[in-house]
Each structure stands twice: as structure tokens, then as C-alpha cells.
Amino acid sequence: MQKNHEYFMGEAIKLSKKNVTSGHGGPFGAVIVRNGEIIGKSQNKVLKNNDPTAHGEVSAIRDACKKLKTYDLSGSVIYTSCEPCPMCLMSLMWANVETIYFAATRADAGNIGFRDDAMYNLLKSDVNSGIHMENMNKKAVKVMQLWKEKMDKMY
């Protein structure tokens, strides 16, 4: 069977529906594809794992990286049931995923109570997030300099 965009998006949406019907979390599922094959997949595991970072996309990244024994997913694309939140978007960038295909939008997620759009708006503004941040000292910069000078470093 020739697998195409509709097939892979359908798989992501199946994961999202399974998540809702199982009671494990929100309606979010994702599959990561390379060379026409699914290399990682997951659904939102925030409630199941008591982990606010276990969104569908991040969990799919973890699955693919574990299977492939790498942190670099270059050459991969993701199909996700909803436009990624800022955390997931940045995680996909860190993993070098090249293309994101999504179904529902962040506005659609907002319509059912999720805060994705508000977080995107916060990133575009000069408004404080409400989280107190304080720079304690510069000792960590010395460790960063050590890293900079390291000859065998990997990014």
C-alpha cells in the first residue's frame, strides 16, 4: 500500500482519538515519518505520566530517538493532529524535524480550553509570563567556556 499524507495524518488522528476514548489525556497524537515509514509515534501522555512535557509531539520525538538511538531526526517529518504548541515546536526544531503537517489549529485547541494560542501570543509580546526569573550568578558561564573550548563536542 502506498502511504501518503492522508494515511500518516490519519494515523496521528487515530492516536488522538484513542487517547480521548481511553481517558489518558487530551486529543493530541503525532507520528514521525522518515523515508515513507513511521519511525516514532505517540499521543499526549500528560495525564497518564503526570508529566506536563509529555505532549504528543514531544512523546513521538522521544519514541523515534529511542528507536533510532539518536537525538537527530534530520530527514524526518511529523504529522500531528493539532498545530504544535510553542514547546513542541521548539522541540521539533531541536530534533531537526524538517516539516510539520498539522490538522487542527491552535485556535481550535483554544476553543476546547487549551492555552496554546495564549502562549504563542505571550512569546510575541513584552509581557512578563508571570513566572519570577532571577539571575543568580555567572559561575555557569565558566562551564560554558569550557564547553566552547572542548574539541570533541557534539551539538
Side-chain angles (χ1 to χ4, degrees):
M1 172 175 107
Q2 181 73 18
K3 297 174 185 169
N4 59 21
H5 290 306
E6 293 299 319
Y7 171 82
F8 293 121
M9 184 57 74
E11 292 299 301
I13 292 170
K14 281 182 199 174
L15 287 167
S16 71
K17 184 175 182 181
K18 179 181 175 185
N19 212 43
V20 171
T21 59
S22 71
H24 288 158
F28 306 105
V31 297
I32 299 177
V33 176
R34 184 188 287 164
N35 299 324
E37 297 298 324
I38 295 174
I39 60 169
K41 64 182 180 177
S42 191
Q43 61 280 355
N44 179 288
K45 295 181 177 180
V46 171
L47 299 179
K48 183 178 181 183
N49 293 356
N50 292 315
D51 179 354
T53 69
H55 290 198
E57 297 91 340
V58 170
S59 296
I61 290 168
R62 291 172 180 160
D63 184 50
C65 290
K66 183 177 181 181
K67 285 179 183 171
L68 299 178
K69 296 178 175 50
T70 184
Y71 59 86
D72 185 359
L73 298 179
S74 294
S76 301
V77 302
I78 190 166
Y79 294 84
T80 181
S81 63
C82 188
E83 184 176 3
C85 75
M87 176 188 69
C88 291
L89 177 60
M90 296 303 117
S91 297
L92 291 162
M93 290 176 68
W94 275 114
N96 297 313
V97 172
E98 296 176 1
T99 304
I100 299 168
Y101 298 101
F102 62 91
T105 67
R106 61 187 188 228
D108 295 324
N111 288 336
I112 60 168
F114 290 89
R115 300 176 290 167
D116 303 45
D117 205 31
M119 290 180 186
Y120 271 103
N121 289 333
L122 179 65
L123 291 174
K124 294 187 292 187
S125 75
D126 291 331
V127 175
N128 186 302
S129 66
I131 298 173
H132 177 77
M133 293 177 58
E134 183 176 335
N135 182 238
M136 297 281 295
N137 62 50
K138 300 290 184 194
K139 291 180 182 176
V141 176
K142 291 179 183 177
V143 178
M144 290 181 168
Q145 185 63 34
L146 182 65
W147 169 260
K148 181 179 178 184
E149 295 166 3
K150 187 174 170 60
M151 298 305 286
D152 62 342
K153 64 181 166 265
M154 293 176 56
Y155 289 92

